């Protein structure tokens, strides 16, 4: 008889079960940083992984997008002033990122943005008339009011990129890996195309928390990397592109 559960122990078990159910979403939110690019933590679920990520599914100006409908044209040229920076490269588990020393800027119509870092996606996140490129470089900037501006450069396979070769040589091959080799400098400008005409639109971060109000500038002309260089990145990071999001009649402006 003493093995039979008492009414009190049943109630305790029931309460504990309820508490477990109630606390489960909190635990899930606590694991918000565990987002990824496939399965239950993949892009389709980012908005549910954390309340801080809700805009990933409720937003109306999410990135990336397919650039195909151009509604306006005529923009000032981008003034890009990227200095050489000591190579500081990290593998954050989602991408390979090069952190930039202060002093490099992108200026558009007198609004100046400071370059913070650049990182890579493969395949490209934004698409051009429905086409993915093999990679996309994102130069992430912030202005003095905290507004984010991204300059995106498509990468097509072709000739190897000497700048990528230098970075890949020090690419940490595991999450949270870092490299800061002595006497190695990189120039963001070495990853820019010769023609700097671009498309501009408003979007979001392409990773959680998917914050909106990001000014996007996508270069029309791609740079090149060898197929081996693309494969080297994929071997370490894997595919890391968020699928294209609804444009919702977003205004896309052509610089020309
Ligand atoms: Zn990015």
């Amino acid at each position: 008889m003493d093995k039979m559960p008492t009414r009190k122990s049943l109630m305790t078990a029931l309460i504990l079960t309820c508490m477990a159910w109630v606390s489960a979403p909190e635990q899930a939110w606590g694991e918000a940083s565990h987002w990824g690019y496939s399965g239950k933590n993949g892009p389709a679920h980012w908005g549910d992984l954390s309340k801080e990520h809700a805009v990933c599914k409720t937003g109306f100006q999410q990135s990336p997008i397919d650039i195909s409908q151009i509604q306006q044209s005529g923009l000032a040229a981008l003034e890009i002033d990227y200095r050489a920076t000591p190579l500081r490269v990290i593998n954050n588990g989602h991408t390979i990122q090069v952190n930039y020393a202060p002093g490099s800027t992108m200026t558009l119509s007198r609004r100046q943005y400071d370059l913070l870092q650049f990182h890579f996606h493969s395949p490209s996140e934004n698409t051009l008339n429905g086409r993915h490129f093999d990679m996309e470089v994102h130069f992430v900037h912030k202005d003095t009011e905290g507004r984010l501006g991204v300059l995106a450069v498509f990468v097509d396979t072709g000739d190897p990129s000497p700048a990528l070769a230098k970075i890949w040589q020090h690419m940490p091959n595991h999450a949270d890996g870092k490299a800061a080799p002595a006497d190695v400098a990189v120039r963001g400008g070495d990853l820019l195309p010769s023609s700097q005409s671009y498309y501009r639109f408003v979007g979001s971060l392409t990773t959680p928390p998917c914050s909106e109000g990001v000014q996007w500038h996508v270069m029309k002309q791609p740079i090149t990397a060898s197929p081996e260089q693309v494969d080297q990145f994929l071997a370490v990071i894997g595919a890391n592109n968020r699928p294209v999001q609804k444009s919702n009649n977003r205004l896309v402006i052509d610089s020309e």
Side-chain angles (χ1 to χ4, degrees):
M1 281 297 284
D2 59 356
K3 295 263 172 62
M4 286 289 288
T6 62
R7 187 182 174 81
K8 190 177 168 194
S9 68
L10 276 173
M11 279 303 290
T12 307
L14 187 63
I15 289 166
L16 286 172
T17 307
C18 290
M19 284 171 67
W21 276 101
V22 170
S23 65
E26 301 292 334
Q27 285 169 2
W29 284 341
E31 292 167 4
S33 63
H34 292 177
W35 60 269
Y37 286 98
S38 61
K40 63 181 174 38
N41 294 328
H45 306 288
W46 288 351
D48 300 312
L49 292 176
S50 158
K51 55 187 169 185
E52 282 81 33
H53 302 174
V55 74
C56 296
K57 70 171 179 182
T58 59
F60 282 89
Q61 291 194 319
Q62 289 289 292
S63 285
I65 58 168
D66 177 47
I67 301 165
S68 53
Q69 305 262 327
I70 313 300
Q71 292 94 337
Q72 266 186 33
S73 58
L75 283 169
L78 287 172
E79 293 167 43
I80 296 168
D81 182 11
Y82 292 166
R83 312 288 169 92
T85 191
L87 181 59
R88 300 285 180 266
V89 56
I90 63 169
N91 175 338
N92 62 18
H94 305 297
T95 189
I96 296 297
Q97 179 174 312
V98 173
N99 290 328
Y100 229 87
S104 289
T105 59
M106 171 177 81
T107 307
L108 178 62
S109 305
R110 293 196 298 278
R111 180 174 291 279
Q112 182 172 296
Y113 296 90
D114 292 311
L115 177 60
L116 306 176
Q117 47 102 339
F118 63 87
H119 62 264
F120 303 87
H121 297 269
S122 184
S124 70
E125 295 207 293
N126 293 292
T127 56
L128 201 51
N129 298 313
R131 182 198 163 190
H132 278 283
F133 290 82
D134 296 284
M135 296 189 81
E136 185 172 334
V137 193
H138 288 163
F139 293 89
V140 181
H141 312 72
K142 199 184 248 188
D143 72 6
T144 51
E145 291 162 29
R147 288 208 263 190
L148 291 175
V150 177
L151 176 63
V153 178
F154 292 125
V155 184
D156 214 352
T157 43
D159 290 337
S161 158
L164 271 193
K166 195 189 276 187
I167 299 164
W168 276 194
Q169 195 184 339
H170 300 281
M171 177 173 15
N173 61 10
H174 58 90
D176 297 326
K178 293 180 170 66
D183 303 324
V184 180
V186 286
R187 264 179 198 280
D190 292 342
L191 291 167
L192 296 178
S194 54
S195 160
Q196 297 190 343
S197 52
Y198 63 98
Y199 300 106
R200 183 167 194 259
F201 49 89
V202 179
S204 74
L205 299 178
T206 65
T207 56
C210 307
S211 316
E212 297 192 330
V214 178
Q215 304 292 325
W216 278 86
H217 313 78
V218 180
M219 293 286 192
K220 290 185 188 179
Q221 186 184 37
I223 60 168
T224 64
S226 67
E228 292 77 19
Q229 287 180 317
V230 176
D231 287 345
Q232 259 181 292
F233 176 84
L234 286 171
V236 171
I237 296 294
N240 67 340
N241 67 307
R242 184 189 196 193
V244 293
Q245 305 292 301
K246 287 197 181 83
S247 161
N248 294 320
N249 295 319
R250 221 169 307 177
L251 180 66
V252 177
I253 310 174
D254 186 335
S255 66
E256 292 174 306

